[in-house]
Amino acid sequence: MSTPPAPPVALITGASSGIGAALARELAGRGYRLVLVARRIERLTALATEVGGEAAALPLACDVRDRAAVERVAAVALDRWGRLDLLVLNAGVGGPTPFPDFDMETATRVVETNLMGALQWLAPCLPPLTAAGGTVVAISSLAGRFGSPKSPVYSASKAALSTLFEGMRVACRELPITVLTVEPGWVVTEMTAKMGRLPFAVSAEAAAGRIAEAVAHRRTRLAFPRPAGWLIAVVGRLPAAWRERLLRLRDRR
Ligand SMILES: NC(=O)c1ccc[n+]([C@@H]2O[C@H](COP(=O)([O-])OP(=O)(O)OC[C@H]3O[C@@H](n4cnc5c(N)ncnc54)[C@H](OP(=O)(O)O)[C@@H]3O)[C@@H](O)[C@H]2O)c1
């Protein structure tokens, strides 16, 4: 009798809440073994227990801004399961950074988490991902398609993440690895809890389902929900002066 193939392994950053936690549940249901990464270890441990305990999930505390910690955690994860099929770079923070009262502390946290906190996983994880013919996913944002007047640094961090992944996708086109950029619109999570009305918002579970399907079909780009994606695409094609006029109207609200 032949032995069944080993289950695929996914490492998810920012797995302690929102999209990351919902994706962990979704992937566990699809037969993945999980490495759950975030700072709030008690939440990761509870989630690991929920999806099947030690045999199914490994919770690891890590601040993704800390490069040495990222490299250590990547090594522990690889040692535990011996392979990596899916890396989801999801950890992220928002925060208002309006001008002219510019808050450099918030700005630094946003860039270090959303950009460096994703970039730092690539060196230790791309070799095992390529060996497994796997997928690397960036959870970017539709907010990266334009400069948000209220959170321009968040927009900039997500624009940088999206262009990083676009370049990597082209550079890695001959390699057995899929490079997927995900651009959600509004998703109902802790990050958006205090934001009031969220046009076209979807649940974290719905977002997780869309992301898991995109991974399963080896897609390279995903923007959702569709109406928000279309709207942003149309706005993106406007002449720059018209686009800025629209952003000014939005900023007044
Ligand atoms: N919600 C939306 O509308 C929306 C839209 C577009 C894109 N996104 C993106 O989706 C991703 C997930 O966000 P979410 O909406 O699910 O928000 P969330 O519920 O606040 O989740 C953010 C996750 O990131 C983790 N995280 C933050 N800073 C970290 C750090 N320094 N080190 C390690 N982990 C860190 C948090 O865990 P700990 O606090 O435990 O460390 C948490 O698990 C983010 O990249 C966000 O930018 C969200």
Side-chain angles (χ1 to χ4, degrees), residues 31-201:
Y32 278 83
R33 288 187 298 199
L34 303 171
V35 182
L36 306 172
V37 175
R39 292 164 301 177
R40 288 171 292 178
I41 188 66
E42 64 296 340
R43 288 207 184 193
L44 299 179
T45 306
L47 181 56
T49 305
E50 180 193 325
V51 299
E54 261 179 40
L58 175 65
L60 293 172
C62 174
D63 186 328
V64 296
R65 293 170 294 178
D66 179 346
R67 184 168 156 200
V70 165
E71 286 171 0
R72 212 165 39 241
V73 161
V76 170
L78 277 170
D79 193 49
R80 171 72 173 86
W81 302 114
R83 60 186 289 164
L84 185 62
D85 299 84
L86 175 61
L87 171 66
V88 185
L89 301 170
N90 164 76
V93 289
T97 49
F99 292 95
D101 303 319
F102 189 68
D103 174 9
M104 193 58 199
E105 245 172 66
T106 306
T108 304
R109 190 171 65 244
V110 169
V111 173
E112 286 185 351
T113 308
N114 298 359
L115 180 59
M116 298 309 294
L119 184 58
Q120 282 170 173
W121 292 91
L122 298 177
C125 292
L126 285 183
L129 280 172
T130 306
T135 300
V136 55
V137 184
I139 307 298
S140 185
S141 173
L142 284 175
R145 300 261 194 105
F146 58 89
S148 155
K150 289 193 168 63
S151 308
V153 177
Y154 180 78
S155 291
S157 71
K158 293 299 187 179
L161 186 58
S162 293
T163 52
L164 169 71
F165 263 58
E166 185 176 57
M168 192 164 72
R169 187 157 42 245
V170 177
C172 294
R173 67 192 178 283
E174 306 287 347
L175 297 177
I177 185 167
T178 305
V179 179
L180 166 62
T181 308
V182 176
E183 296 170 301
W186 294 120
V187 182
V188 183
T189 66
E190 286 175 19
M191 184 181 276
T192 53
K194 292 187 186 132
M195 287 187 183
R197 203 178 72 84
L198 306 173
F200 308 119

